Amino acid sequence: MSRAHQYHQPNAADSPDDNSDSDIELDIDELSPRGRSEQHSSQEFPSWHQQSPESRIPLRNLRISRTRGFRGDGHGRHEHHPGGSDADRAVEDNVPLLDSNDSSGTAMDHEPRRHSPNHRVAGFFSSNRNNGSSLPPEAQESTTNGASRNITIGQYPPPRFPPNAVSNAKYTAWSFLPRTLYNEFSFFFNMYFLLVALSQLIPPLRIGYVSTYVVPLVFVLSITLGKEALDDIARRRRDAEANKEAYTVLRLHDPSDTSGRSRKRQTTKENLWRSRPMHQPVQSNRLNVIEEEERLGYNSKDSQLGIEVDELRIRSRDIKVGDIVKLGKDQRVPADLVILKSSSADSGATASVPQSLKARPSGSLSMEAETIPQNPKQDGIQRADENGEPLETSGKSTSNDSDSTGEAFLRTDQLDGETDWKLRLASPLTQSLDPPDFARLRIVAGRPSKKVNEFVGTVEYLSHEEDGAHSKAASAPLTIDNTAWANTVLASNVTVLAVVVYTGAQTRQAMSTTPPRSKTGLLDCEINNLTKILCALTLGLSITLVALEGFENQEEMKWYVAITRFLILFSTIIPISLRVNLDMGKSVYAWFIERDQGIPGTVVRTSTIPEELGRIEYLLSDKTGTLTQNEMELKKVHVGTVSYANEAMDEVASYIRQGFVAGPTTDASQRSSLVTPSSTFHKSSVGASATRTRREIGSRVLDLVLALALCHNVTPSMEEKNGRGFTTYQASSPDEIAIVRWTEQVGLRLIHRDRKSITLQSVETSRIVVRVQVLNVFPFTSEGKRMGIILQFNRGDDSTDPTVDEADEIWFYQKGADTVMTSIVAANDWLDEETANMAREGFRTLVIGRKKLSAQQYQDFSASYKEASLSLQSRDARMARVVREHLEVNLELLGVTGVEDKLQKDVKPSLELLRNAGIKIWMLTGDKVETARCVAVSAKLVSRTQYIHTITKLTPITPASSALDTLSLLRSKPDSTALLIDGDSLSYFLSHHRWEFISIAVQLPAVIACRCSPTQKADIAYLIRQFTKKRVACIGDGGNDVSMIQAADVGVGIVGKEGRQASLAADFSITSFHHLTKLLVWHGRNSYKRSAKLAQFIIHRGLIISVCQTIYSIAAHFEPNALYRDWLLVGYATVYTMAPVFSLVLDKDVDEGLANLYPELYNELTNGQSLSYRTFFVWVAVSIYQGSIIQGLSQILVGSVDSPQMVSVSFTVLVINELIMVACEIVTWHRIMVASLLGTMAIYIGSVPLLGGYFDLAYVWSWGFAWRVASISAISLIPVYSVKMLRRTLKPPSYRKVQGI
């Protein structure tokens, strides 16, 4: 598909040998006569929208050329000739931030050509690009090596950049075998068996069949590699689902280009897109094209200019750099974008955005107020809609600010964890453009970076000059306020057109994550260490046996050959089937987890570490979307003497109905008067017959509700769903939306808000009751912790245009945190107590105050404030000082509100249960300190008896002594103190006092870290693992949690509302936080205990047969010959014992109810008591005893050392002993266990007639064989079982104690 800016002469001449300067400009002789004559007669080059078709230059007759110095090679490539420029590429990813003095234009046609015709460059693309194309100087500081990329919007084919695909796969087709084999042979016993198998290729070392040693190893590796492959294939399939999400993309192309070469490229490129089901264009015929153009706001003349716009539905993974993506409300951003245009999605008036937010870029912390220009006769308050109805009564906003300035709100909690919405703006240079004009844009962006709060770039627009042969570039800067990063969500009801600047692995979200790693469970590491001990025992035993015989007495073989043969004979001590059984057990545990109806939707994405769920000691959790729903609700208000909550809110609604129901007139045909804070009926209408106290309370309630309805930055908009209209609210803070929704619920609705006025409506009567003019807005900042607004109340009635005069009341309203408002409001005796009570309940408190200003007072303030705003030094401080001196003095205290951040289901009991299980919980969030504190208290992450020690605002210049002093309290009381620390302080400690900080922090019962970046979250997880050597689990739901999840020993992802990035990258995916308790306390505990018991039994099975081999070798004069050969050796480890031993994966010591009732049972597992060196050596002792009894008594009772009769007795007792040992270890019987034991015994008995090559079958069916087998078995089993019962009686395990209760 030809690019929008390329126009081709159908019969262009071949390129001349020389590179004449005329090739750069328009060749007038090649213009059509009509175009040429009119171009000469024109005095001025008309604009695109004003120029008539007759006067317009027929661009299809223009010949476009590449810049001098380039010559096609016939294959779509270009050679660089001396004197030429290499800056002609449409998109460059590694060009200097500041362009050199090169006048080359953008890249031209890249299609393959047999010849290289010299095309002429259109004037508006051949001008010098240096005017505005370079990044600002500060960009060099934020990019590495000064590299940037130039993006020509809508160009096709797209440049070679990473595909915009989500990938959580661990392996590629090329790296799978090398990486998995390396991981497998990094385990000692796999390497051991590889060496044993290879030794069988040496004839002097060969013992039995080679397949006896090779086949089990291949089988083990096949099982393990197959599991890894299936897990990775499942990850790729889930990634493919996420990458199939459909998006609308605008494609710009030139319909006037009819050259065969161009059409051929369209056939091979563009039609390939159109042939795919997901890539069907919206326009199917010319009529649809015209209708779509009219809907988008440009007419059909644009197509005559050479630009047409197609809307395509494509997959997320097919989005390229330079594509124009069209986004709507609640749609996830698929890549890193620069916003070009934002317009209301409503057919009517669009919702406006608070001017305070427009005037303040994201991240600005200055206490700067915005002065609103006054217009007493402003238009828009009583504007009517197309049906002639006043917009106020329909609830629609009347401001078109979002259309004119291109605002859009984004939810970024999936990226940075912050709950506040972010305001994003389109550049003024691009906001006024129509989509066809985007072809004239070029964006210069810095190289990819993981800094989510920084971006530096420029945008250029190439416009025509008079002669039509040159172009004039207008440029504008681009900042973070013009971007929409991948994995954020468009929150406002607007339609956004944005260009893709970074894709795939180069997006901010992807660069903030760490690559997935192969995780190995602690149990596997412990077993690996045990096998090293077994190998050392085997080597020592082999040397001992050879030494007893004498190194010089080895007649048939060298002594080292004898030692090696003994090592091979004793290789069963390290059972190769151990990995097979453990891996199969892990698959069973994963099957149990995924089919548990108590935790529906749970997915095991990494099936190699389910036992790790039973060893967790530290849980690192995200806040937003994980512990909370990010849905705010006002739960409580206090007006000094009375507190309202729950059902008492009905009384507040009754006060509002009485206070705002009507004006003083009784004629229904007359309009009601507007309400002001001093209105007589506003005060007196609250219960005329009520007592004085009740009237005073009612008056306070009215004042508080009116203040809450006016003091905010919320904008209403009308939306329609299922044919019904409803009002939605937009604001940067969900707290403010919750407050405005509450005022609507009690009877006072916000129906209009722009930068100049606010209008309130009575819900009861649907009449306008309050109109105010906005004079100044003082936005909320993290430092100021308060928000203020100066309003002028309109008087008169709701039928006339509002008038402003000196008699109108001017009020200053302010709300903020109690820590700052306490010193601002007038003296009182209840504020501190009430805010403390609300804080203990976990509410986010706001204190509301007001102050009436006279006209003179406001004029004095305005003059002082304006003077301060013009200061060149310390401007913000001087402006804040003016506000403090003139406004923030003795405010009338109206009340306190308590807003609750709704918690996820059953978060409180879940956290309490995990805490009782001995798990230390850390909450890592990107949100504010105050918000995190409230959630920690409300979720019971911090108990009421614990003190919250707060550390904030530590900087690199902070003295080390001062920083370490902040940790002194934690060191003195680690058990009763929780830590609350912000991101800057955390970064300081991690950089300068890493070990001092972590050594104290890991002892605390709870840690809350705020303003954490994704990288910091991952660093904390890694640091805890490194310092404590304990198991760390991380849980989150957003893309900003992926790094933390991948850095943990166990990563748990919650399927979030806005995306599945965390779920896809996690080892375990759940649908709600409270499912984590069952995942850990029940499934984790069972998985670990079962695997520990299974591993010990398999080691016991290998040890006991090795002890029998040792006794036999001693009796056979230390000859390195095998006791059990070929099938007996293989059958013992598989058919004859595997099923009963593996059935232990079904065992459980307590039921689920007791596991939840006594979470302390989980705490015991963290010490590794189920599989430790103590238990290991106990099983070694049992194996030595039973092996010695079985082989020794078999040789004694049969009276032969090497005979089929002795082998039949010894092997039979060995099988029976193992089956009975399994039965003795089972706590809770399952029918599969019974079937496996009986079935295995039946299989062995049935296979005896087939073992004639090893047994004396006639002897097997004799009574002598039976009593010998029974006697040896009893001597082997009864003492072991008796000791076990005695120990259980004297020192019962914990599960026996709770069962007894």
Side-chain angles (χ1 to χ4, degrees):
M1 171 169 149
S2 61
R3 278 163 286 188
H5 59 271
Q6 296 171 353
Y7 308 92
H8 303 280
Q9 173 82 1
N11 300 313
D14 291 344
S15 176
D17 294 336
D18 62 327
N19 292 320
S20 60
D21 291 339
S22 62
D23 290 335
I24 303 297
E25 308 299 339
L26 289 170
D27 190 344
I28 303 299
D29 292 336
E30 290 181 4
L31 300 179
S32 66
R34 180 182 61 181
R36 184 168 63 250
S37 61
E38 293 185 6
Q39 197 259 357
H40 281 295
S41 61
S42 175
Q43 299 296 325
E44 181 178 58
F45 197 97
S47 65
W48 286 110
H49 296 286
Q50 295 173 352
Q51 184 182 12
S52 65
E54 291 75 11
S55 64
R56 198 174 288 120
I57 297 176
L59 296 180
R60 62 172 55 90
N61 293 334
L62 298 182
R63 294 193 306 167
I64 311 298
S65 76
R66 299 178 183 87
T67 311
R68 291 176 298 168
F70 279 88
R71 189 179 284 273
D73 65 356
H75 301 283
R77 298 183 295 270
H78 299 285
E79 300 175 0
H80 184 241
H81 297 278
S85 169
D86 59 354
D88 281 335
R89 292 173 296 170
V91 182
E92 306 171 26
D93 194 29
N94 198 26
V95 298
L97 283 174
L98 300 177
D99 291 351
S100 61
N101 294 327
D102 178 27
S103 60
S104 61
T106 46
M108 294 297 109
D109 183 20
H110 284 214
E111 68 174 51
R113 300 176 187 274
R114 183 172 300 174
H115 303 287
S116 300
N118 185 17
H119 298 275
R120 314 284 178 164
V121 180
F124 51 88
F125 279 105
S126 61
S127 66
N128 193 326
R129 290 295 180 90
N130 289 336
N131 296 329
S133 64
S134 61
L135 287 173
E138 60 269 18
Q140 297 185 9
E141 300 177 2
S142 62
T143 56
T144 305
N145 299 328
S148 64
R149 60 178 57 180
N150 296 345
I151 302 169
T152 300
I153 296 177
Q155 60 86 37
Y156 193 87
R160 293 183 179 273
F161 285 120
N164 192 50
V166 176
S167 178
N168 293 289
K170 295 181 180 179
Y171 311 103
T172 65
W174 300 104
S175 67
F176 175 75
L177 276 178
R179 289 184 60 186
T180 52
L181 289 177
Y182 173 80
N183 291 334
E184 287 305 308
F185 288 114
S186 63
F187 284 98
F188 175 79
F189 55 85
N190 279 346
M191 179 60 70
Y192 177 81
F193 276 104
L194 176 64
L195 295 177
V196 169
L198 293 176
S199 70
Q200 297 305 291
L201 301 177
I202 304 174
L205 302 179
R206 185 175 300 168
I207 301 175
Y209 298 117
V210 177
S211 58
T212 304
Y213 298 91
V214 175
V215 172
L217 178 63
V218 174
F219 179 70
V220 169
L221 294 178
S222 300
I223 293 292
T224 306
L225 268 62
K227 284 179 80 285
E228 283 289 323
L230 291 176
D231 286 347
D232 214 50
I233 290 172
R235 292 189 193 96
R236 290 186 176 274
R237 288 176 177 172
R238 291 187 290 269
D239 290 342
E241 294 177 2
N243 293 328
K244 287 180 181 179
E245 187 175 357
Y247 287 89
T248 300
V249 173
L250 304 188
R251 285 286 161 83
L252 311 179
H253 64 93
D254 172 22
S256 63
D257 183 5
T258 59
S259 66
R261 290 182 295 269
S262 177
R263 288 304 174 191
K264 181 178 178 180
R265 183 172 61 186
Q266 278 190 311
T267 301
T268 59
K269 295 290 185 179
E270 177 185 332
N271 290 346
L272 179 61
W273 288 74
R274 295 174 180 266
S275 64
R276 299 177 183 177
M278 292 293 295
H279 297 166
Q280 294 295 336
V282 176
Q283 298 89 340
S284 59
N285 53 58
R286 182 61 184 166
L287 179 60
N288 288 342
V289 172
I290 297 175
E291 292 175 350
E292 183 66 10
E293 289 175 347
E294 292 176 349
R295 186 181 69 81
L296 292 174
Y298 58 93
N299 54 41
S300 60
K301 293 180 182 180
D302 293 323
S303 63
Q304 299 177 13
L305 294 174
I307 306 298
E308 279 193 356
V309 180
D310 284 344
E311 283 194 10
L312 305 177
R313 293 285 288 176
I314 69 173
R315 300 179 179 93
S316 172
R317 68 172 303 143
D318 296 324
I319 293 175
K320 310 292 184 183
V321 172
D323 279 345
I324 303 172
V325 181
K326 181 179 179 181
L327 298 174
K329 183 179 180 182
D330 293 331
Q331 199 166 8
R332 186 179 66 87
V333 179
D336 284 359
L337 312 176
V338 168
I339 298 175
L340 301 177
K341 188 181 183 69
S342 175
S343 58
S344 172
D346 297 333
S347 59
T350 184
S352 64
V353 179
Q355 181 66 10
S356 61
L357 293 177
K358 301 174 193 174
R360 295 180 54 77
S362 297
S364 176
L365 300 178
S366 61
M367 185 64 181
E368 179 181 355
E370 174 205 1
T371 303
I372 308 300
Q374 294 302 302
N375 183 3
K377 297 291 185 181
Q378 63 169 328
D379 182 33
I381 296 300
Q382 190 57 34
R383 189 177 299 160
D385 60 16
E386 60 184 2
N387 297 323
E389 297 180 0
L391 289 174
E392 293 87 348
T393 59
S394 62
K396 291 183 180 180
S397 176
T398 61
S399 171
N400 292 319
D401 287 347
S402 61
D403 282 332
S404 61
T405 55
E407 301 97 345
F409 279 110
L410 296 178
R411 290 197 294 269
T412 63
D413 54 301
Q414 298 290 306
L415 179 67
D416 55 20
E418 296 188 18
T419 56
D420 289 353
W421 293 1
K422 304 297 188 304
L423 177 66
R424 293 295 184 258
L425 307 170
S427 172
L429 183 63
T430 62
Q431 174 64 21
S432 58
L433 299 180
D434 291 327
D437 295 325
F438 291 163
R440 303 184 181 280
L441 294 176
R442 187 177 75 159
I443 288 178
V444 182
R447 68 174 297 160
S449 170
K450 64 181 180 180
K451 297 179 179 179
V452 298
N453 294 320
E454 294 182 12
F455 178 75
V456 178
T458 58
V459 59
E460 295 177 335
Y461 176 68
L462 301 176
S463 59
H464 289 283
E465 289 186 348
E466 295 182 2
D467 57 4
H470 295 279
S471 66
K472 183 179 180 182
S475 63
L478 295 175
T479 66
I480 185 66
D481 297 308
N482 307 119
T483 62
W485 297 143
N487 209 31
T488 59
V489 177
L490 184 62
S492 51
N493 188 29
V494 296
T495 298
V496 168
L497 299 180
V499 61
V500 179
V501 291
Y502 307 112
T503 55
Q506 294 182 346
T507 61
R508 295 303 202 263
Q509 186 267 334
M511 295 188 71
S512 297
T513 60
T514 56
R517 62 184 179 92
S518 298
K519 297 182 179 181
T520 302
L522 181 60
L523 182 70
D524 293 331
C525 297
E526 292 171 344
I527 292 175
N528 194 50
N529 293 332
L530 295 180
T531 56
K532 293 178 182 179
I533 297 176
L534 292 175
C535 182
L537 292 176
T538 303
L539 179 61
L541 183 60
S542 301
I543 296 175
T544 301
L545 292 177
V546 174
L548 290 175
E549 176 67 14
F551 290 103
E552 303 298 332
N553 297 331
Q554 302 295 327
E555 300 177 356
E556 299 180 359
M557 63 188 71
K558 298 293 184 179
W559 63 269
Y560 51 83
V561 176
I563 291 176
T564 306
R565 285 177 62 89
F566 272 122
L567 279 173
I568 298 171
L569 287 173
F570 295 145
S571 63
T572 53
I573 290 180
I574 308 173
I576 194 171
S577 60
L578 179 60
R579 284 302 305 273
V580 178
N581 282 270
L582 290 179
D583 287 344
M584 292 175 60
K586 293 173 181 179
S587 298
V588 172
Y589 308 148
W591 189 87
F592 286 154
I593 293 173
E594 291 184 341
R595 283 157 182 78
D596 190 338
Q597 297 300 318
I599 47 176
T602 300
V603 179
V604 179
R605 305 202 189 282
T606 305
S607 59
T608 57
I609 55 172
E611 303 94 346
E612 295 296 276
L613 295 171
R615 308 287 295 276
I616 302 301
E617 293 192 50
Y618 291 91
L619 175 65
L620 276 56
S621 174
D622 179 43
K623 179 187 72 68
T624 307
T626 303
L627 298 179
T628 68
Q629 303 179 33
N630 197 23
E631 295 180 5
M632 309 297 176
E633 182 180 2
L634 193 148
K635 302 289 289 186
K636 191 174 184 180
V637 296
H638 195 282
V639 293
T641 56
V642 181
S643 179
Y644 296 94
N646 302 323
E647 293 80 7
M649 292 297 183
D650 295 337
E651 187 174 353
V652 176
S654 66
Y655 286 136
I656 299 302
R657 285 195 299 269
Q658 297 172 26
F660 293 94
V661 67
T665 61
T666 58
D667 189 350
S669 64
Q670 295 184 10
R671 297 285 183 174
S672 61
S673 297
L674 296 176
V675 175
T676 68
S678 302
S679 300
T680 55
F681 77 91
H682 170 64
K683 303 295 184 182
S684 61
S685 59
V686 182
S689 60
T691 63
R692 178 179 178 181
T693 301
R694 180 172 173 80
R695 287 197 299 270
E696 290 178 353
I697 294 175
S699 178
R700 291 181 183 179
V701 170
L702 293 175
D703 290 336
L704 176 63
V705 174
L706 180 61
L708 294 175
L710 294 173
C711 185
H712 53 71
N713 278 319
V714 180
T715 302
S717 64
M718 177 63 74
E719 295 186 11
E720 185 173 326
K721 185 176 182 180
N722 299 328
R724 299 181 59 184
F726 59 95
T727 302
T728 60
Y729 298 107
Q730 301 173 10
S732 64
S733 172
D735 297 59
E736 292 198 321
I737 295 179
I739 292 174
V740 173
R741 283 177 178 165
W742 177 79
T743 62
E744 180 181 4
Q745 292 173 2
V746 297
L748 202 56
R749 178 186 293 132
L750 173 69
I751 63 168
H752 171 80
R753 166 68 189 262
D754 59 24
R755 60 180 181 174
K756 299 178 182 179
S757 64
I758 301 175
T759 304
L760 303 180
Q761 179 189 62
S762 171
V763 176
E764 181 75 14
T765 62
S766 298
R767 291 183 174 180
I768 306 302
V769 292
V770 177
R771 276 202 186 102
V772 296
Q773 305 302 308
V774 181
L775 302 182
N776 297 86
V777 175
F778 308 93
F780 179 90
T781 65
S782 298
E783 294 177 347
K785 299 182 181 179
R786 57 192 182 276
M787 177 264 176
I789 188 170
I790 300 179
L791 304 172
Q792 188 166 14
F793 284 81
N794 298 151
R795 297 200 286 184
D797 57 58
D798 59 357
S799 63
T800 61
D801 289 337
T803 60
V804 180
D805 54 43
E806 294 184 356
D808 284 341
E809 300 177 18
I810 300 177
W811 288 83
F812 169 62
Y813 288 95
Q814 191 171 59
K815 64 181 179 183
D818 59 285
T819 55
V820 296
M821 292 296 292
T822 301
S823 60
I824 295 175
V825 298
N828 61 87
D829 57 357
W830 60 270
L831 179 59
D832 292 340
E833 180 181 358
E834 187 57 34
T835 54
N837 292 337
M838 289 189 180
R840 278 191 291 269
E841 297 181 54
F843 294 148
R844 304 165 72 165
T845 58
L846 283 176
V847 178
I848 298 90
R850 69 175 182 177
K851 181 177 184 179
K852 187 174 183 179
L853 304 176
S854 64
Q856 183 61 42
Q857 287 177 318
Y858 178 72
Q859 290 176 6
D860 294 343
F861 160 76
S862 184
S864 301
Y865 192 79
K866 182 177 181 181
E867 180 181 356
S869 65
L870 299 177
S871 302
L872 298 180
Q873 296 180 350
S874 304
R875 177 182 301 174
D876 292 346
R878 293 186 180 185
M879 294 169 67
R881 184 168 60 251
V882 171
V883 173
R884 287 196 303 269
E885 293 175 353
H886 289 78
L887 302 179
E888 296 178 343
V889 179
N890 289 329
L891 267 64
E892 178 188 354
L893 177 59
L894 297 179
V896 181
T897 63
V899 177
E900 180 187 47
D901 192 350
K902 290 185 179 179
L903 300 175
Q904 295 282 359
K905 180 182 178 182
D906 294 334
V907 164
K908 293 181 182 179
S910 298
L911 290 177
E912 183 179 1
L913 188 146
L914 294 175
R915 194 163 46 243
N916 293 335
I919 299 176
K920 294 181 173 64
I921 304 172
W922 291 38
M923 186 174 75
L924 311 180
T925 177
D927 219 332
K928 298 186 291 290
V929 173
E930 294 81 3
T931 303
R933 181 194 296 271
C934 293
V935 171
V937 173
S938 62
K940 299 297 187 289
L941 177 63
V942 178
S943 65
R944 296 194 176 189
T945 60
Q946 291 175 348
Y947 167 73
I948 301 179
H949 182 62
T950 305
I951 301 177
T952 58
K953 299 181 180 179
L954 295 184
T955 62
I957 63 174
T958 303
S961 58
S962 300
L964 295 177
D965 287 342
T966 60
L967 301 176
S968 58
L969 178 63
L970 300 175
R971 189 179 291 107
S972 61
K973 298 180 179 179
D975 296 331
S976 60
T977 306
L979 173 63
L980 175 63
I981 187 171
D982 65 355
D984 292 337
S985 303
L986 180 64
S987 178
Y988 173 83
F989 280 119
L990 295 181
S991 301
H992 298 85
H993 308 288
R994 174 183 294 255
W995 298 112
E996 293 87 344
F997 170 76
I998 198 66
S999 62
I1000 298 175
V1002 295
Q1003 302 177 35
L1004 303 178
V1007 176
I1008 304 101
C1010 315
R1011 296 296 190 187
C1012 284
S1013 66
T1015 305
Q1016 282 181 324
K1017 292 182 178 182
D1019 289 344
I1020 293 174
Y1022 175 77
L1023 190 59
I1024 296 176
R1025 288 175 47 218
Q1026 186 181 33
F1027 182 82
T1028 64
K1029 308 301 181 184
K1030 305 294 185 181
R1031 299 290 95 178
V1032 177
C1034 294
I1035 182 171
D1037 73 315
N1040 61 314
D1041 303 318
V1042 171
S1043 293
M1044 174 180 70
I1045 287 173
Q1046 293 176 340
D1049 295 299
V1050 177
V1052 182
I1054 298 178
V1055 180
K1057 295 180 180 179
E1058 315 298 350
R1060 303 175 57 192
Q1061 287 75 19
S1063 170
L1064 293 174
D1067 303 309
F1068 301 88
S1069 172
I1070 59 178
T1071 57
S1072 182
F1073 181 85
H1074 74 279
H1075 291 168
L1076 181 65
T1077 58
K1078 188 170 187 179
L1079 194 64
L1080 298 182
V1081 176
W1082 176 242
H1083 289 288
R1085 184 176 183 276
N1086 285 340
S1087 299
Y1088 171 63
K1089 288 187 69 69
R1090 290 166 175 172
S1091 288
K1093 184 180 291 187
L1094 179 64
Q1096 291 175 131
F1097 251 99
I1098 295 174
I1099 292 174
H1100 163 72
R1101 186 177 63 188
L1103 271 173
I1104 193 173
I1105 196 174
S1106 297
V1107 173
C1108 291
Q1109 175 68 48
T1110 303
I1111 300 299
Y1112 169 77
S1113 298
I1114 294 174
H1117 305 288
F1118 306 102
E1119 290 294 328
N1121 298 321
L1123 170 62
Y1124 307 120
R1125 298 176 181 272
D1126 304 331
W1127 168 250
L1128 293 184
L1129 193 63
V1130 175
Y1132 172 74
T1134 56
V1135 178
Y1136 299 144
T1137 60
M1138 183 174 180
V1141 172
F1142 186 72
S1143 69
L1144 292 174
V1145 300
L1146 303 175
D1147 193 18
K1148 57 183 180 181
D1149 52 5
V1150 295
D1151 58 24
E1152 184 179 349
L1154 286 176
N1156 292 326
L1157 186 61
Y1158 299 99
E1160 293 79 7
L1161 294 173
Y1162 182 91
N1163 192 22
E1164 292 182 348
L1165 305 184
T1166 58
N1167 299 324
Q1169 295 180 0
S1170 296
L1171 180 62
S1172 61
Y1173 289 114
R1174 185 186 64 82
T1175 58
F1176 168 73
F1177 285 110
V1178 168
W1179 279 102
V1180 169
V1182 171
S1183 301
I1184 293 175
Y1185 167 77
Q1186 291 185 331
S1188 301
I1189 292 298
I1190 292 172
Q1191 184 61 29
L1193 291 181
S1194 296
Q1195 294 175 174
I1196 294 173
L1197 295 181
V1198 174
S1200 172
V1201 174
D1202 189 7
S1203 66
Q1205 292 88 348
M1206 187 276 299
V1207 172
S1208 60
V1209 172
S1210 174
F1211 190 80
T1212 302
V1213 174
L1214 196 64
V1215 172
I1216 294 175
N1217 181 86
E1218 196 66 19
L1219 296 182
I1220 296 178
M1221 285 291 291
V1222 170
C1224 293
E1225 287 296 319
I1226 294 176
V1227 178
T1228 304
W1229 283 88
H1230 191 278
R1231 60 178 180 273
I1232 295 180
M1233 295 177 175
V1234 177
S1236 64
L1237 286 170
L1238 297 180
T1240 299
M1241 196 64 211
I1243 291 174
Y1244 176 71
I1245 295 174
S1247 66
V1248 167
L1250 305 177
L1251 302 178
Y1254 309 101
F1255 293 173
D1256 184 348
L1257 297 182
Y1259 179 73
V1260 169
W1261 304 113
S1262 65
W1263 282 106
F1265 172 83
W1267 75 261
R1268 287 178 175 85
V1269 168
S1271 300
I1272 297 173
S1273 298
I1275 298 173
S1276 172
L1277 290 168
I1278 292 176
V1280 174
Y1281 184 76
S1282 300
V1283 172
K1284 179 181 178 180
M1285 290 294 101
L1286 180 62
R1287 182 179 180 276
R1288 180 177 295 180
T1289 302
L1290 298 177
K1291 190 179 179 181
S1294 298
Y1295 72 88
R1296 288 287 182 182
K1297 295 177 182 179
V1298 299
Q1299 286 176 339
I1301 295 176

